[in-house]
Structures are given as C-alpha cells and as structure tokens.
Amino acid sequence: MIVVSSCLLGIPCRYDGTGFRRPDIMEILEGRDVLPLCPEQLGGLSTPRTPCEIVNGMVVGKDGIDHTGSFRRGAALALEEMSNFDVSVALLKEKSPSCGSCLIYDGSFSGRVIKGTGVFASSLIDMGVPVFSEEDLEGFISFLM
Ligand code: SF4
C-alpha cells in the first residue's frame, strides 16, 4: 500500500481549498493500492484554513494561533489509519508543515523555504517508512521498480 498526500491526487484539501492536478502522479500510481491521507483535515482543521508554518517546533497560523495540537492529532490519526494496511512507502507533498519530507517554509510566511520536515512526514520517517516527495518522482519510481 502506498500512502499519498490527498492533495496530490487532486482532492481539494489544501489550506486554500484546492488540490493538485498531477496526471504524471496518477499515471505512476495507476493499478497500485493507494491510501490517500490528509493529516490536517484528520486533525480537525477546516478547509479552507489559515496557512500554517513551523516556528521553533510549533505549528503556527499566519494569524499567530498555535495549531500544533491539531497537527499532532492529525498525524496520529493518519498513523492509526495506516496501521490497518501494509504500507511500504509514502509519496508526500513537499514544503507542507504536515507532509514536507525535506523542505518546509521557514516560519516567516514570506515564501522562503528551508530544510525541514513536517509533523506527519517526521512520524513516518521515525517509523522507518520510506518517504518521497512529488519533487523526487524519479526516486519514487526507482523505489517502486
Ligand atoms: Fe496536502 Fe498534506 Fe497539506 Fe493535506 S496536510 S493538504 S495532504 S500537504
């Protein structure tokens, strides 16, 4: 089973109420078992919602409100859902405070990106689940072969 960030499958679960149309990803995943997960929605955050970034280990909204609890709850519920399946790998959305596996926004809400890991992606990496992003589809395809 492949865990995939729901928004990469076109599901409109992003903070701004959109999803991504990625025919290339759909083609790679065709015929494979996929578990779409959006940890932010699972954590009870609304869609649309205030954009959040990681600041000193906390997940804070652009409005200054601390949403760390919702992000952690969402990650825990996503892991619980995963436990029902034999998950071999994850394809997660880069730069997200939940799903980013190599890069995240720097917490200044200025569009700057730094090395870092989102709350959900961190949990998967800690568990030893191989995590790829949509920015490394070559690596992902190699893993699947
Ligand atoms: Fe996409 Fe993950 Fe953000 Fe949900 S939490 S919108 S799946 S990047």
Side-chain angles (χ1 to χ4, degrees), residues 65-138:
I65 295 176
D66 180 3
H67 292 289
T68 309
S70 297
F71 275 71
R72 288 186 181 152
R73 186 163 54 249
L77 289 169
L79 294 182
E80 198 177 309
E81 184 66 24
M82 281 174 54
S83 69
N84 296 310
F85 302 93
D86 183 15
V87 172
S88 58
V89 63
L91 178 66
L92 301 184
K93 177 72 185 75
E94 198 63 282
K95 301 175 194 165
S96 154
S98 288
C99 294
S101 54
C102 296
L103 301 170
I104 54 171
Y105 289 106
D106 73 352
S108 65
F109 294 94
S110 63
R112 272 200 303 272
V113 169
I114 56 174
K115 285 185 183 174
T117 313
V119 178
F120 178 51
S122 287
S123 302
L124 294 194
I125 291 166
D126 288 349
M127 288 169 57
V129 176
V131 177
F132 295 87
S133 86
E134 84 287 3
E135 296 187 2
D136 180 23
L137 288 181
E138 279 186 21

Side-chain angles (χ1 to χ4, degrees), residues 5-8 13-15 37-41 49 93 96 98-99:
S5 293
S6 297
C7 59
L8 291 178
C13 54
R14 298 182 66 222
Y15 74 95
L37 290 172
C38 176
E40 291 176 25
Q41 285 194 331
R49 54 188 171 274
K93 177 72 185 75
S96 154
S98 288
C99 294

